[in-house]
Amino acid sequence: MTTCQECKNFFPLEEDPNRGDCVQRVKDPRQAYYQAKPVNAEDDASACASFQKKQQ
Amino acid sequence: MAQPALKDTRVEEFEKKQEWWWAAEKRRSGRLDYLRKAIWKKGAIGGLYAPGVKTDLEQAVLTTNMAKSLEGSPDPYVVKSAKLFAHILDNKTIFITDHAQLVGYTGSLPNTMNWNPSIASILNSEVFNDPISIPEPVDKNQAVIQEIVDYWAGKTDLDKMMPVFDIDDLMKMLSGSIGWGVPLARGGYSNKDYEYIMTGNRGFQDIIDELDKKMDEIDDAVHEPTANKEIAMMYDRLNNWEAMRIALEAGIRIAKRYARLARIMAENFEEDPQRKEELLKIAAACEQVPAHPPRNLQESFQYDIFIQMMSRTEAIEGAWPCRPDYYHGPYYDKDVHIDKTLTKEEALDLVGEFLIRAAEVCQFKPKWAREGLQGIDGTWVWTMGGVDEKGKDACNDLTIAFMQAARLVRVANPTFAFRWHPQVKDEVMREVFECIRHGLGYPSIRNDPILVSNAMHWHGHPIEEARLWVHQACMSPNPTTKHGYQPMRMANATANCAKIIEYVFTSGFDPVVNMQVGAETPDVSTFKDFEAFFDAWVLQMRTIFSILVRSVNRARLLAPTMTPRPFLSGLSERCIESGQDTCDPSIARGNAWITAFTWVENADSLAAVKKLVFDEGKYSLAELKDALAKNWNGYEDMRLDFVKNAPKWGNDDDDVDRIMLRCLDACAKFSKELKCPCGNNWPILPENVSGNIHYANIVGALPNGRRLGDALYDGGISPGPGLDKKGPTAVLKSCGKIDHVTQGRAFLLNQRLSPTQLAGEKGFQLWKAYMRTWADLGLDHVQFNMVDDATLRSAQKDPEKYQEVIVRVAGYSAHFVDISRKTQDNIIQRTVQGLG
Amino acid sequence: MSRREEKRKAYAGMLMPDKKEASGTASKGGGEKICGICKHYMESSWSSDGRGTCNLLKLGSDIKSQPPVYVLEGKDGYPTKTLSDASLCKYFEKMTFIDKDGYECSDPIYRRSMRQLQDKK
């Protein structure tokens, strides 16, 4: 199973690597921004349309 | 570094043509231009949200899931409330917009409106039924909403409160015919103890340290080998403190999440070195505040934004009481003049962005709220100017910067209200005037000495506290002090006053909602003289006001236990000290008032009845009763008589002006009989927002010649549109007969001025002369529209070309194209006053 | 029964949200006969929270009971909701719609706000 921690958008917390932020770039019709959503490292990312495998 | 605006000679051309919005676009910096255009405008347009603006389901899902998991928890209710609040802040999506220097938003994405499903089921039904704001995919998300709505049915604040209100009062209130708002601690608007949290003496961590000390002390005390009533009461305080602590810690954590995101962006995504530096500054600011006091202007604004965002996570907030130039001014001074770490232009960018952050805030509101506040989410009336607690002029360079920034970013909301006093420097008045002349519709002008006296008269605020007042919403002053601030103004005490005169004719029965709402006064046709008629009016007034006030009193008494506000309490010295919830009336002085919508119709109608029925004997009351019941159908000549041949308020005509004063005296007398749970008075405050449009189809025909469906008058003590025939001085003279200290809380006055007449230095001098008359007559408020009919009519025809035209609606400004056609016409109808 | 209890009973439907009306039935457009499309129904002034009154039936009526209770005398209208099931009500008369989706005109008070009425023909 692909998990969030394998994604290049995943940034783990220093104090707890099992948690982190999924950081993504968004451009909506009015503005561009970076968003961060708290996720678990082990969350299932197999259905995630934004998943991008981290370069090893 | 602020990016300067590009030099563009078209700026002067636009200004010559008074196309201020195009000139502003050219004048403002590249950063401000981007951020201004980045806003998703969230004010409802004629009652409906704009396409693209969506209800945010994230907070609703987080709230619901956390509530479910807390069901089995042994935590006391207030602690659960705090944990729910913390869960949202810990888990919501956050974002940082390109070019932004300030962060923090109520929703998860820029185009979303936050929805808190724990507040009212009637709100939740509206979310479910809203035709356009459910996000894609609609079917799937409607199912999610359905599940959330079903979970909260019976559990929301309002669901829990309703059974403990008086059933009669509740049904009358819910009919929506006489009131406007709900009596909820989490559904109104909160002032704050800014003297405690915004003077640079403490951040959240300092408060937490204080709480820890208190809790340890009391925890020891309650375990002494004894027991009594005081100890029994201490446990609630311990729970409240614990909840405050949880909420404040969550506030610190979410700021650090923003810091982290800014650092991630700087280290991993941003290539421009200047922007990297800015992101690291954002990170530093969010590490500093709200945990610790701010050190500079950016951190001061950031601190404020965080507090507002968190307050709006805990509750629905319909206003934004604050005094930004007063509390942030010292930091502006430090950065620009002392440490010189910011140029004026850089500071202006921050000030402009601070306005933009406020402009974009939105929480999903019920339709009646949107219809009463067309074009805006809530009335963000920011208080500027005024005096300090010693009575000295408090205007500073930031006051001027706010005026200048407002002209650059041209948001309709926040809107400013300027506390004028005789020592205000000309330089500041000029900046105020320029905002008005540029068609912003703000600042409104408040007479500071009058309102300081007013606050002392009605609510007994000591003079040093009264001097620190801010607008609780559009109009009513409230100090920002320990015992003076009002934690939740429940808009439920907002009366549709046109019903007072209507109910005299229907003996209190409301034909729109099919309910006996008012007093069962005798059949109007039996009244033999005007005194009997007026007595019936007074009884209807007392009945309507009492129904609304009783509900608010009840809610205020129950709020600390049934709908606590741990976050808001954590910002308040009296709560930290006492361990009681912010809404607890025993620790507050009280600052209640009754907003009187649709007020002037009463004076005009009473005057018409007195003249045409009793003085001239032209018609009988039975005839008039029949005519009104038939909406004047078959009585058009009679109706025109009542329109044209009866005196109208605003013309310096003693016949009607004396009646107005009599009505106000009756209300003022009653205001002192009505008491809030703090033991304080309930003065009235005539004003309207866009309630005159919302209520147009709810109020029947009236003796001022109005038909069912006609727009009601536009605000406070403003004369009916087009009915003021004797010029601006006559309007001021009528309004000046009112005692603005003792006859009510405050009195809203709309005036339209000619942009052509007020051009240039001559225009400024004319306006100053007008303002001198206004001040000499002792009026407490005036606000201006300065945009001509031709522009407004063009905007109706081609709204795409006039997206940025702003008008003053009533207690707030809105973009003209965002308000309904009926409201637009109503504004155009307002008389343009020629000065000089 | 005390006067207060009688009042509470009469208004019971208005006090608490009805889960069925908030969700399940609602998403499918309600039944064929609901109060919201009856010509005797008047929404509350707020016009958007689903509460209203019947212009014909009076307080004390109950169209959900078996058999329904009809009170035609009295002052106050029978409190009911836009989505209340009116299938048992003998006084139900379907209103004439100007347009199909239940929005009578652009003026706020005349709109039927509940999306379920979009399915009504």
Side-chain angles (χ1 to χ4, degrees), chain C residues 2-67:
Chain C
S2 72
R3 191 172 66 184
R4 289 179 73 81
E5 272 181 88
E6 274 179 21
K7 276 259 171 78
R8 199 178 286 280
K9 184 166 174 262
Y11 284 123
M14 294 294 109
L15 280 178
M16 299 303 283
D18 185 322
K19 280 192 187 181
K20 191 173 150 201
E21 284 172 1
S23 59
T25 310
S27 68
K28 297 299 171 203
E32 272 304 304
K33 282 183 177 181
I34 55 173
C35 288
I37 55 168
C38 173
K39 64 189 259 197
H40 300 300
Y41 178 73
M42 183 69 200
E43 288 172 311
S44 80
S45 302
W46 281 345
S47 87
S48 51
D49 65 348
R51 286 181 175 83
T53 48
C54 179
N55 279 337
L56 184 68
L57 300 179
K58 302 298 179 189
L59 186 67
S61 302
D62 184 354
I63 61 169
K64 291 180 189 166
S65 63
Q66 298 255 22

Side-chain angles (χ1 to χ4, degrees), chain B residues 122 126 128-130 142 146 150 162-163 166 168 170 175-176 368 371 512-514 516 520 697, chain C residues 4 7-8 11 15 19 23 42 45-46 48 51 53 55 75-77 107-109 111 114-116:
Chain B
I122 61 176
E126 290 218 29
F128 182 76
N129 289 301
D130 193 277
Q142 203 177 9
Q146 186 175 303
D150 281 352
M162 285 211 286
D166 177 80
D168 282 321
L170 180 66
S175 76
W368 49 264
E371 285 165 5
V512 171
V513 296
N514 272 305
Q516 183 68 34
E520 286 194 57
N697 295 315
Chain C
R4 289 179 73 81
K7 276 259 171 78
R8 199 178 286 280
Y11 284 123
L15 280 178
K19 280 192 187 181
S23 59
M42 183 69 200
S45 302
W46 281 345
S48 51
R51 286 181 175 83
T53 48
N55 279 337
K75 217 185 264 182
D76 293 346
D107 237 315
I109 194 63
R111 277 199 302 267
M114 312 297 271
R115 65 166 42 247
Q116 294 75 11

